[in-house]
Amino acid sequence: MKISIERGALLKAVGQAQSVVERRNTIPILANVLIEAEGDTVSFRATDLDIEVVDRTPAVVERAGATTVSAVMLHEIVRKLPDGALVGLSEDPASGRLTVTAGRSVFSLATLPKEDFPVMASSEYSSTFKAPAPVLRRLFDKAKFAISTEETRYYLNGVFMHVATGEEGPVLRCVATDGHRLARIDAALPEGAQGMPGVIVPRKTVNELRKLLDDDEVEIAVSVSETKVRFATPQITMTSKVIDGTFPDYSRVIPTANSRRLEVDAQEFAKAVDRVATVSSERSRAVKLSLDEDRLVLSVNAPDSGAAEEELAVAYGDERLEIGFNAKYLLEIASQVDRENAVFLFNSSGDPTLMREGNDMSAVYVVMPMRV
């Protein structure tokens, strides 16, 4: 194999691949990226056995072939090369080495046989549809903060992507929860997604997927089966196993009868919560909200470190209410608001609270209160 490729294109391709590779591996080949050159394209394939990423990029292929080399090391080398450099990759099968050349730099890297590289079994996808990158970005970005990190409740360690019925008919919906907070985000149902099976997309896949969704112009082809999900752009294909479990019936915890309505500037609210939470003890991080007519007092009382309070002008016309929350949860939920105002709907100090952006029901958040 012998190819030459521009440094920027190589860095992007190898960067995407190496981020999937686990740093600690018991199987040496999993630390490698499979480089395959054919025609005028070179592809870089990496896997951790749960996710597989294939990144294709144009290159000058003098001699077709394939080999595997350490993903992290190749990425580090390319990252340190000067901008605009032309990088040559040539493999010598006899010595089992891959030579990387750029300008006056020459690197000789150990390789492993390409036959040992595990390629994810292809599967039949029961549903395939296309969605613009910004739509998927919004769905996953707004939901992922609520993904659980508890390994025991493994079925909550991802985002539940499924078809549901929204306010105005069928929608593509992403839901995540950890039992303390919940995010439910809807988007218009793309053509072809009607019969899609609901799948739980793992946390690592959600984070890796984010890198495919930066370009607003790109259409993402999404393929879903009971066991796998695949996201593809013209250059990159990412295939992932889905979490084998049943996502709980989240609709039961979304309150529908909360009538006490608080409207507040989301940015001002988040900044005020952040300020008063500075004195709260790390363990509880509890912030108390005291609501009265058109005023909200945020207060923290931590016996061992001090106390803080701040008053905000808000729109609130119901009876007095005192309710406590974990400051971190409030901050994460308030930071999801794109418009100016966040609307909180309360019932009592012991019931879940609903938050949305204005009257928009396509993004709904629920947070559980805590005793203060």
Side-chain angles (χ1 to χ4, degrees):
M1 179 181 84
K2 190 173 182 191
I3 60 169
S4 45
I5 182 170
E6 197 272 317
R7 179 241 180 206
L10 180 60
L11 182 65
K12 190 164 178 264
V14 177
Q16 183 76 42
Q18 67 93 33
S19 65
V20 172
V21 170
E22 288 290 338
R23 291 292 179 267
R24 291 192 299 277
N25 261 316
T26 48
I27 309 169
I29 193 86
L30 292 183
N32 281 17
V33 58
L34 172 63
I35 306 169
E36 297 172 294
E38 201 176 335
D40 56 0
T41 307
V42 61
S43 71
F44 298 85
R45 184 187 299 261
T47 183
D48 67 357
L49 297 182
D50 289 326
I51 307 174
E52 180 186 76
V53 168
V54 184
D55 202 315
R56 290 169 292 277
T57 190
V60 178
V61 179
E62 291 177 44
R63 200 166 59 240
T67 187
T68 84
V69 66
S70 165
V72 175
M73 193 178 295
L74 181 61
H75 180 252
E76 280 297 292
I77 288 170
V78 177
R79 189 175 64 80
K80 292 172 183 175
L81 291 174
D83 258 353
L86 188 67
V87 184
L89 302 178
S90 61
E91 184 217 7
D92 176 9
S95 65
R97 298 272 162 178
L98 178 76
T99 306
V100 181
T101 55
R104 295 180 182 180
S105 309
V106 181
F107 302 88
S108 179
L109 307 180
T111 63
L112 285 172
K114 63 178 188 292
E115 292 76 24
D116 296 349
F117 194 86
V119 174
M120 199 177 262
S122 58
S123 61
E124 289 294 312
Y125 293 100
S126 56
S127 176
T128 302
F129 60 91
K130 283 196 165 156
V135 170
L136 288 177
R137 188 168 66 217
R138 174 180 169 274
L139 281 173
F140 284 101
D141 271 7
K142 284 184 174 297
K144 70 181 179 190
F145 76 92
I147 295 175
S148 172
T149 52
E150 266 184 68
E151 296 302 327
T152 48
R153 301 165 77 186
Y154 63 92
Y155 48 85
L156 298 181
N157 294 163
V159 171
F160 182 40
M161 179 173 76
H162 60 297
V163 177
T165 305
E167 298 276 292
E168 294 162 12
V171 291
L172 180 63
R173 176 174 288 174
C174 280
V175 179
T177 182
D178 65 358
H180 303 289
R181 61 245 160 106
L182 177 143
R184 189 195 78 189
I185 319 297
D186 292 350
L189 189 68
E191 208 174 309
Q194 288 80 357
M196 181 187 103
V199 289
I200 306 171
V201 184
R203 185 197 305 105
K204 182 174 176 182
T205 308
V206 172
N207 291 333
E208 289 301 325
L209 171 64
R210 185 66 186 77
K211 296 166 190 159
L212 272 70
L213 305 177
D214 279 334
D215 187 347
D216 285 358
E217 305 301 313
V218 171
E219 281 252 299
I220 310 286
V222 184
S223 310
V224 184
S225 74
E226 296 284 349
T227 55
K228 288 201 185 85
V229 60
R230 188 173 74 195
F231 300 92
T233 70
Q235 285 80 37
I236 304 169
T237 304
M238 187 171 108
T239 312
S240 167
K241 291 179 182 171
V242 299
I243 293 173
D244 182 14
T246 307
F247 201 81
D249 179 10
Y250 58 87
S251 58
R252 293 210 316 269
V253 299
I254 298 178
T256 51
N258 285 12
S259 56
R260 299 177 178 185
R261 186 175 194 273
L262 158 72
E263 189 160 341
V264 58
D265 180 303
Q267 276 192 321
E268 289 301 314
F269 177 72
K271 285 175 185 165
V273 170
D274 199 20
R275 281 193 289 268
V276 296
T278 313
V279 300
S280 69
S281 66
E282 272 306 307
R283 201 169 51 80
S284 69
R285 290 193 60 87
V287 173
K288 184 160 88 173
L289 280 66
S290 307
L291 284 155
D292 217 334
E293 193 166 326
D294 287 347
R295 66 189 273 267
L296 162 67
V297 177
L298 297 163
S299 61
V300 168
N301 195 354
D304 48 352
S305 54
E309 73 170 48
E310 181 163 340
E311 190 173 314
L312 285 174
V314 297
Y316 181 76
D318 293 290
E319 61 218 62
R320 270 186 65 91
L321 174 69
E322 289 196 345
I323 187 167
F325 293 105
N326 181 317
K328 177 169 167 270
Y329 298 166
L330 280 185
L331 283 172
E332 284 179 335
I333 282 181
S335 67
Q336 303 304 321
V337 178
D338 297 329
R339 302 205 187 92
E340 281 184 9
N341 285 359
V343 172
F344 288 86
L345 294 166
F346 304 99
N347 187 27
S348 75
S349 61
D351 292 321
T353 294
L354 188 88
M355 197 281 281
R356 60 173 196 243
E357 303 177 40
N359 292 321
D360 180 12
M361 288 300 288
S362 72
V364 169
Y365 307 92
V366 179
V367 61
M368 298 297 287
M370 63 190 287
R371 284 202 192 92
V372 284

